[in-house]
Amino acid sequence: MTLNSKKLFILTMTSLFSFSSIASQSSEALQDMSDPMAVFSQFGAGYGDKGINLMFGHAYDTGIANKKAMHIFEAKGIGGEALGWRDDNNNSVSELRYRHFEASTVTGTGTNIDLHYNLDSGVGTGTYGIIQALPKAGRFQAYPMLAVGATIIDLNKTDHRLDTENGTIGGHHLLGFYGLAGMYSRYSVTDNIWLNYNPMSLFGATGELSGESLLLHEAAISYQLTTRANIRYFANWSDDIRYANGDHRLMFTYQV
């Protein structure tokens, strides 16, 4: 099999960040946009090394007391060849992502379903995670999480081949299952400026991912422009990809 499974890990696993779920306020009130677990309807647009990113989020009533939920849809890498600065960019959408969150506003425990597909590499992931908000310690707050997931790959993409006794085959192939452990963290510098650092440790459990491990990093600095709008700078890298060679993007988000 001419696949580099660790490279495929790196191509897709950075999509597991940016968990958003619950908030303690009522659905009519403006939510704290610095809270990684805040639920609110929103739209966003951003620019990064892969091109333009668009995002739309819809919060809804679950019909269950003390439970909030939302859907988020994202399209990434639009116009990457013309507007981005990576050599392998093209101008079509490069990544699609769907997330669903549901959590208790009483316990501070949330669940996350995260589906991501990279149209360029033909690699997709599906992840189910649980996150817990811990009490604040001064200006700092942590949100540990655990998740399990699976990775698929389109063998018809360039350089992806699976050799069997009956010859080379194509189509979508289950690369394997993995586990993930990490945390989201927030440090409030001022009422309008906050920092996030989100380390994640990934462990391959089955298939071509078996025995693989990867430490992922995300860092962000954010500024609250108004009660409804903020701008954020994100960087993603890993123990195999240096910070300078990682993903970098600016994102504007508006709370509806």
Side-chain angles (χ1 to χ4, degrees):
M1 184 175 188
T2 61
L3 293 175
N4 185 328
S5 57
K6 195 159 189 176
K7 180 180 179 182
L8 297 174
F9 249 7
I10 297 167
L11 281 171
T12 58
M13 290 305 108
T14 53
S15 70
L16 298 175
F17 292 104
S18 304
F19 191 109
S20 299
S21 195
I22 67 170
S24 59
Q25 299 96 330
S26 68
S27 59
E28 292 81 13
L30 288 176
Q31 307 300 293
D32 178 2
M33 297 178 75
S34 73
D35 187 349
M37 297 182 71
V39 161
F40 50 90
S41 294
Q42 59 191 285
F43 65 83
Y47 170 71
D49 55 297
K50 296 179 180 178
I52 300 297
N53 304 322
L54 298 176
M55 178 266 292
F56 172 75
H58 172 64
Y60 67 94
D61 185 356
T62 63
I64 302 173
N66 301 317
K67 279 200 173 182
K68 304 279 186 180
M70 69 187 302
H71 305 281
I72 291 186
F73 303 88
E74 293 181 81
K76 302 180 180 181
I78 303 167
E81 185 176 1
L83 302 173
W85 61 85
R86 287 183 180 270
D87 293 337
D88 57 349
N89 283 344
N90 57 57
N91 285 323
S92 62
V93 175
S94 62
E95 299 174 45
L96 296 173
R97 186 183 184 191
Y98 165 74
R99 291 175 281 162
H100 178 267
F101 313 117
E102 184 175 288
S104 167
T105 59
V106 175
T107 64
T109 304
T111 59
N112 173 43
I113 296 173
D114 193 332
L115 305 176
H116 172 268
Y117 191 76
N118 188 309
L119 298 169
D120 294 335
S121 66
V123 177
T125 59
T127 306
Y128 177 80
I130 300 175
I131 186 170
Q132 178 64 52
L134 299 182
K136 288 184 179 180
R139 294 178 175 270
F140 178 80
Q141 189 169 13
Y143 308 79
M145 73 163 293
L146 293 172
V148 294
T151 300
I152 63 168
I153 183 169
D154 182 358
L155 296 171
N156 294 324
K157 293 289 184 178
T158 304
D159 297 330
H160 298 344
R161 297 290 184 270
L162 184 61
D163 296 321
T164 70
E165 294 180 353
N166 298 320
T168 301
I169 63 173
H172 282 87
H173 168 69
L174 177 63
L175 200 60
F177 291 89
Y178 57 82
L180 185 148
M183 76 167 187
Y184 297 85
S185 66
R186 171 181 58 162
Y187 181 80
S188 299
V189 180
T190 70
D191 290 343
N192 292 331
I193 300 173
W194 68 95
L195 308 174
N196 299 101
Y197 174 59
N198 311 322
M200 300 284 169
S201 186
L202 193 67
F203 307 94
T206 66
E208 282 75 40
L209 302 183
S210 182
E212 296 284 4
S213 63
L214 193 64
L215 181 60
L216 305 169
H217 307 270
E218 180 178 72
I221 182 169
S222 308
Y223 180 72
Q224 193 72 27
L225 298 168
T226 71
T227 54
R228 292 186 179 272
N230 66 44
I231 187 167
R232 310 186 70 184
Y233 161 71
F234 291 91
N236 294 93
W237 70 102
S238 73
D239 53 0
D240 276 5
I241 296 179
R242 295 183 304 161
Y243 170 85
N245 296 329
D247 291 345
H248 302 270
R249 60 202 182 279
L250 282 173
M251 194 77 183
F252 170 83
T253 304
Y254 185 83
Q255 184 173 171
V256 179

